[in-house]
Amino acid sequence: MTEAIRGFWAAAATPLTSDGGADPVRLAAHVQRLFGRGVDGVVLFGTTGEGTSFNVAERVATVEALLKAGIAAERIGIGGGFPAISDSIALTRTVLGLGLRHVLLLPPYFDRSVTPEGIEDAFAAVIDEVADDRLRATLYHIPQVSGVAIPTSVAANLRKRYGKLVAGLKDSSGDFKQFQAFRRAAPELAITVGNEADIARAIAEGGAGTICGMANIVPELVKGMIIGADVEARMQAAIDMVVQTPSFLATLKAILATQTADAGWLRVRPPLRALSDGTALKRKLDELMAPAVA
């Protein structure tokens, strides 16, 4: 099993059933398609997967279903961040027992006045209470969404305190200077980026790869960024097309619905609102994908 998330991982979107629950059948098929298109692993219930809308039991049940469907545990990571530390502990303990090792941990969010010392205490409480050497935690830095940043000093201190149990950090800030700051402060961490446009330069500066949402719909472009193909302009155009819509997640799902000819992908959980059609967006993506990326 890998000691840290490296290479090309997708932040998987979460398909829903008609009653609003996670749909493991659609999800397993989606994951297998991604693997067939060059993706190394998937992270479930992150930002792209509407993770904060799913409780511990729902996340665990989905993991169990994917394992039964034949998805290898070493190719699955899971979003384990909650405002309540006890929920992070419960989820982490359970998925480690199922054979997973990779858990992405957000700092507890909502209270934006917390100190660096408090953030470090929160992560430490999870790791100490889980008390399992199988854990390979990835710290998740996405302050523009969560409202709580991970200071570089906290990342460095946690790596020193816990060694390989704190295996990596996902920087989804979209600020390349922030990525560089993490690399300087904690060079032993496997640092992945969420901003697809930064993948090539991040790898060139010692980054571990990517965990990203655009992998759901344009994995070949993401792979091109990883291998150093001349696709950055197309990648940025694809990103702009999706993020400039009112809802990145609803738009992503609308495109998936069109790509798979499966309207079930349109479903989202409140407070998101579903889009009715992604045909025009898919057409534009198809144009960006031609010629195909090797």
Side-chain angles (χ1 to χ4, degrees):
M1 290 185 177
T2 181
E3 290 296 302
I5 291 177
R6 295 183 180 276
F8 181 13
W9 285 56
T14 307
L16 303 179
T17 60
S18 58
D19 63 1
D23 187 333
V25 175
R26 278 191 177 91
L27 181 57
H30 179 53
V31 170
Q32 293 288 21
R33 283 193 299 271
L34 291 176
F35 289 167
R37 296 173 71 180
V39 172
D40 298 319
V42 292
V43 172
L44 311 177
F45 300 115
T47 303
T48 306
E50 299 171 70
T52 54
S53 295
F54 292 87
N55 62 33
V56 172
E58 291 174 309
R59 299 188 203 195
V60 169
T62 302
V63 169
E64 290 175 329
L66 289 193
L67 294 173
K68 288 179 181 178
I71 309 298
E74 61 264 27
R75 301 182 78 176
I76 302 174
I78 189 165
F82 296 88
I85 291 172
S86 56
D87 285 337
S88 292
I89 294 167
L91 178 73
T92 301
R93 281 177 173 166
T94 302
V95 298
L96 290 175
L98 294 173
L100 276 64
R101 301 186 88 181
H102 300 301
V103 181
L104 271 69
L105 296 175
L106 284 165
Y109 44 91
F110 182 78
D111 185 348
R112 304 188 181 194
S113 65
V114 290
T115 64
E117 293 79 12
I119 293 171
E120 185 173 338
D121 289 346
F123 284 126
V126 175
I127 298 166
D128 289 341
E129 287 296 319
V130 169
D132 193 323
D133 287 342
R134 294 174 295 182
L135 175 63
R136 297 294 179 266
T138 296
L139 309 178
Y140 186 14
H141 177 73
I142 185 168
Q144 72 276 24
V145 176
S146 70
V148 181
I150 299 175
T152 55
S153 61
V154 170
N157 289 346
L158 289 168
R159 176 67 186 195
K160 289 176 184 176
R161 288 176 65 176
Y162 295 104
K164 62 186 180 182
L165 272 66
V166 179
L169 182 144
K170 181 187 177 186
D171 177 20
S172 289
S173 66
D175 179 356
F176 193 66
K177 290 182 179 179
Q178 179 65 66
F179 164 82
Q180 293 172 315
F182 281 127
R183 284 286 299 146
R184 288 192 299 271
E188 293 182 345
L189 286 177
I191 302 180
T192 52
V193 290
N195 181 22
E196 295 85 355
D198 285 336
I199 292 170
R201 60 180 64 91
I203 291 174
E205 294 198 19
T210 187
I211 307 168
C212 65
M214 292 295 287
N216 289 277
I217 54 174
V218 286
E220 290 80 9
L221 280 182
V222 178
K223 187 71 172 181
M225 294 293 294
I226 292 171
I227 65 176
D230 185 18
V231 297
E232 183 172 346
R234 284 195 278 163
M235 185 78 256
Q236 187 63 63
I239 296 167
D240 291 343
M241 188 183 72
V242 178
V243 301
Q244 290 174 7
T245 62
S247 170
F248 170 77
L249 300 182
T251 298
L252 194 78
K253 283 189 162 184
I255 293 169
L256 280 168
T258 302
Q259 288 179 334
T260 61
D262 179 2
W265 270 106
L266 291 170
R267 302 182 187 113
V268 294
R269 276 194 168 184
L272 300 178
R273 297 292 299 271
L275 300 183
S276 59
D277 183 44
T279 303
L281 290 166
K282 177 185 177 296
R283 188 179 304 116
K284 292 178 182 178
L285 282 179
D286 289 344
E287 293 171 357
L288 291 171
M289 290 289 290
V293 178

